[in-house]
Amino acid sequence: YESALDMLGIPAMVSAEIAKEVLERAIFYCPKNTGNLASSGRIETQADGSCRVYFDCPYAWYVHEYTWKNHTYPTCAKFLTRAIQEVETLHGFGWANR
């Protein structure tokens, strides 16, 4: 999850329920200077029924990846990565359980 692919979303084979949880958490952690980035969060259903979560904003990748930028708590850089990891851990298939 540590590349520009973060903003392309969660890999295939994620259920709609998991995708919704990730999106809700990602929006919570997403910096909201103008609100444009947070409101660009999307869930896309693939042909196989799996889902991906992504942010459809021109500067989403920059805000996500620039870890040296200070954000007002609880917002943060890596907001999508943090949401993915929390939901994975919550459901027992996160990094801590590997």
Side-chain angles (χ1 to χ4, degrees):
Y1 298 112
E2 295 299 321
S3 71
L5 295 178
D6 274 317
M7 302 322 299
L8 296 179
I10 300 171
M13 304 308 294
V14 176
S15 71
E17 294 81 22
I18 296 292
K20 183 178 178 194
E21 285 183 54
V22 169
L23 180 59
E24 288 173 357
R25 286 176 185 256
I27 290 171
F28 176 75
Y29 292 126
C30 177
K32 298 170 185 74
N33 291 346
T34 65
N36 292 335
L37 178 57
S39 67
S40 76
R42 306 278 185 266
I43 297 174
E44 180 179 86
T45 303
Q46 308 296 307
D48 66 358
S50 65
C51 296
R52 74 179 182 112
V53 176
Y54 66 100
F55 285 80
D56 187 20
C57 183
Y59 50 87
W61 183 85
Y62 299 103
V63 175
H64 189 266
E65 295 299 313
Y66 285 5
T67 57
W68 57 89
K69 173 98 168 90
N70 291 324
H71 298 287
T72 304
Y73 181 83
T75 66
C76 59
K78 301 286 189 178
F79 54 90
L80 181 55
T81 300
R82 182 174 181 177
I84 291 167
Q85 291 172 342
E86 285 183 3
V87 171
E88 284 180 334
T89 301
L90 179 67
H91 290 282
F93 51 85
W95 295 107
N97 299 310
R98 291 183 184 171

